[in-house]
Amino acid sequence: MSLVCRAIRFQGQGGWTDLPAGTSFVLDDTSRPTLSQGTDAGLKYDRKGAIPIILVPQPSDDPNDPLNWPLWKRDVILVILSAISVIASTLSSLLAANTVTLSLYFGRDFTQMALLTGYHLCGVGVAGFIFVASARIWGKRHLYLLGTILIIISSAWGGAVGTNYASLLWARVIQGVGLAPFEALVNASVGDLYYVHERGTRMALSNLALFGGAFFTPVLVGKITQTIGWQWSFNLVAIFAGALLPLVFFFVPETAYSRPRNRYVEAWDNGNPCSTKEDHELQVMSNNNRESTPKSSNPTSFENDNYKPPGDGSPISTSTPPQTTFAQSLLPFNGRKSDASFLKLLLRPFPLFFHPAILWACLIQGTLIGWTVMIGVVLAAIFLGPPLWFNEVETGYMYTGPFIGAILGFLVSGLLADWSTKFMIKRNKGVYEPEFRIVLVVVQLVFGCVGLYGFGVTAQDVGRYGWFLPDMFFAFEVGGMVLGAVASALYIVDAHRDIAVEAFTCLLVFKNMFSFGLTWGAYDWLVDAGVSRTFYIIASIQVGICLLSIPMCKLLPFFSSLETEDGEGYGLISTDRYLWEEE
């Protein structure tokens, strides 16, 4: 069976530009016209299904390449990272059910209690910049270990502060630093470990771990506070994180891998732009035909393993390195992953905030997370007073709805992410576009915005509507939040793999700083404008943000096509046509 790839290119002022980042030929579609026929594409496939799926990215022949590890090993790594992410994610909502209790215990007002969460989120955002630069140079394993250790230390510290508010505040900041590696890097590790067609459900799982645990925590913390004291909410986090530390140490090896650029599914042309579609078709030659293929100064196939793609350095070595031993895999570092300077990588995420795709992802994911934090901050004020007079246990139970919403969001996103993508690939003649992931935003719009509008209506008059309807709409809002997080994370991983770590840093910083800002004014905003009017405004803003996905589906491929191989270099080109376009 042969695989025929047609180059998707754009005509600009400087000539022809390669196809958008992340565009891949996934299904072996023999209905496309061919220039020549080969017996084997020379590419690696997933042949478990009826239709062979081209593995994207193509794995190397290195046994240390995570894509070459058995699926069960990769899944074990993801389960462990998800488990420690659940523990880490509890830290952000650890005080949600204890607002009144801690306010009385420390003699502080509600805003100062909210800032215990706000400064914690600030710690996450600031540490994210430093950790991501470190991950770029030395990998992710040492940061997972450091984050787990910091969570253990800071949680034990928080349980032993006594009545010292300042000490608790600093413990919360360090907890945020410990949380940062998991918020910033776990989704990127999913991209390290899995092919495009394997990521959807697993990305949903990692996002459920990062968000679901945060909503189940208050359910437990309220009861813990009433029975054995609020300090044990910190102590138990330290205990569970300590139990997971050996699993992280022994069974989570380094997932970062410097993949050689010697196997491409995409095609390019070093010559002048051609006027016909046929001139841009590529027959990916079989291994059997490579030796007989004549050399040319303008190659259209990979003639040998030492072929040097445009812009690369020296030819890639074909020697296979030895497999890393188990003892070697336990080291926190296994060599540099980049020769770039730490300062350059530290500052690299800042300009990405102006990249349309990254800005879109920040808004899609970050704003709903911010509204969720805001609801959590004001929930106590709404339900602890008249007419319901909830205590910390009943307030904690109010998070049962959001937890169920997170589970439903996970299930819906897991089912739709891969199914909708495969469906659209078939409709697109086997060509995968990362923009297929944006379809999930439609479901986010329905769930998230209905939840925000509904919460505003029902929370304004809890005497009339009771506690159930606000809790139900809170669940809808959280379900929409998970869907948006999965959609944006999948798009970033698929379309911008080379800058995925920096992109997740931007998401991390935006959502935490945005949430931090909301904790400063949440109570005053509710007092001045009222619950219903406040959430009408919030919901309308969110509708507008979701609708940005419509123009982005058209614009993102063109901006993506401008990235250089190291993810740098953004500009503007004219976008005349796809070569797949029917004439």
Side-chain angles (χ1 to χ4, degrees), residues 356-391:
I358 310 304
L359 178 59
W360 169 85
C362 288
L363 293 172
I364 286 293
Q365 181 180 128
T367 52
L368 260 182
I369 292 175
W371 310 139
T372 304
V373 171
M374 181 175 174
I375 292 176
V377 168
V378 303
L379 198 64
I382 294 174
F383 291 97
L384 286 172
L388 298 181
W389 298 104
F390 276 13
N391 57 28

Side-chain angles (χ1 to χ4, degrees), residues 10 108 220 236 260 384 527 561 577:
F10 300 99
R108 306 282 178 145
L220 301 176
L236 289 172
L384 286 172
V527 170
S561 67
R577 62 187 175 97

Side-chain angles (χ1 to χ4, degrees), residues 241-256:
L244 288 171
L245 179 59
L247 296 180
V248 176
F249 181 77
F250 287 108
F251 301 112
V252 180
E254 181 58 64
T255 63

